[in-house]
Structures are given as structure tokens and as C-alpha cells.
């Protein structure tokens, strides 16, 4: 069993930045890819970013590439999402997820473990 706890969400003005953190426990952290997803009100959960177990490969949703950066600290069992140049359309609950593969992946079925989510609100 893997336990994931997100933190770092909040309210920010458009153009601002936030850094989300996800602390993991319960398995060897470096063996699995990690991802960030988000869900806005009335919309389905969508992929945002993923990072391989080693941290060497990253994937991004097209609309966040160049603005968001996913990274991980394996000794600290933590994954981060640095979000810059935030836009109102980035407003959502952001979820950290752990995959059963060590390859970065954008596909929800590859993820077995989910955090409780953290709210990000971007005002215009």
C-alpha cells in the first residue's frame, strides 16, 4: 500500500507561481513513475505531468509544457510540481498519483495510488 499526501495548493493571481509537493510512503519510491492530474469543477480528471522512476523522463499536457515542471527527490520520497505563469484555466483540484510502471505515463489506468488532492485557484 502506498500513501500519498499533497500540499502547497492555494489562491494565486494570474501570472503567479505555486509549488505542489507530494510525500509518499509505503513502498520503494524510486521504483514507480509518479504523476500529477487535475480536476476542474464539472470536468473529468485530466493528466498534467508524469516523471519516470529514475527522474530522467518527463511528460506534460500540452497546455502546461513550458510553464510547469515535475521533479522528484527519491531519497526524500517526494515529487514536486512547480507551476509558473499560472492562468485561471489552471484552477482545479490537483492530485498526485503513483504508477505500477517505472516509465513516465499519461494514462490513468497505469496509476494505482492517489492522494486526496489539493486545491489550486488562480484569479484573473
Amino acid at each position: 500500500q502506498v500513501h500519498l499526501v499533497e500540499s502547497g495548493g492555494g489562491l494565486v493571481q494570474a501570472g503567479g507561481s505555486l509549488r505542489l509537493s507530494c510525500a509518499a510512503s509505503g513502498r520503494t519510491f524510486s521504483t514507480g513513475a509518479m504523476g500529477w492530474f487535475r480536476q476542474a469543477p464539472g470536468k473529468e480528471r485530466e493528466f498534467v505531468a508524469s516523471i519516470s522512476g529514475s527522474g530522467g523522463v518527463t511528460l506534460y499536457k500540452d497546455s502546461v509544457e513550458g510553464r510547469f515542471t515535475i521533479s522528484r527527490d527519491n531519497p526524500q520520497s517526494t515529487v514536486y510540481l512547480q507551476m509558473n505563469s499560472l492562468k485561471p484555466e489552471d484552477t482545479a483540484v490537483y492530485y498526485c498519483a503513483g504508477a505500477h510502471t517505472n516509465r513516465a505515463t499519461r494514462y490513468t489506468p497505469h496509476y494505482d495510488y492517489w492522494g486526496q488532492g489539493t486545491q489550486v485557484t488562480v484569479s484573473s
Side-chain angles (χ1 to χ4, degrees):
Q1 189 69 20
V2 176
H3 187 52
L4 303 174
V5 179
E6 302 99 333
S7 60
L11 173 64
V12 64
Q13 288 189 330
S17 297
L18 283 174
R19 188 193 197 201
L20 305 184
S21 299
C22 173
S25 61
R27 76 170 182 188
T28 304
F29 182 72
S30 61
T31 61
M34 297 294 294
W36 287 96
F37 290 74
R38 67 187 182 188
Q39 187 168 19
K43 296 187 177 181
E44 294 189 355
R45 188 174 298 187
E46 64 178 5
F47 168 79
V48 176
S50 178
I51 187 166
S52 63
S54 67
V57 178
T58 55
L59 298 174
Y60 295 95
K61 176 180 173 62
D62 287 347
S63 63
V64 309
E65 187 145 23
R67 299 188 297 123
F68 291 10
T69 302
I70 188 171
S71 61
R72 64 191 297 161
D73 183 339
N74 283 349
Q76 296 297 321
S77 298
T78 302
V79 63
Y80 303 97
L81 186 68
Q82 177 67 45
M83 304 186 295
N84 299 329
S85 302
L86 282 161
K87 304 176 181 180
E89 52 263 42
D90 295 318
T91 295
V93 177
Y94 282 71
Y95 297 90
C96 173
H100 56 252
T101 174
N102 64 357
R103 295 185 177 185
T105 174
R106 63 182 72 240
Y107 299 111
T108 304
H110 290 173
Y111 291 87
D112 295 326
Y113 308 105
W114 296 84
Q116 83 287 351
T118 186
Q119 177 71 47
V120 171
T121 303
V122 184
S123 63
S124 58

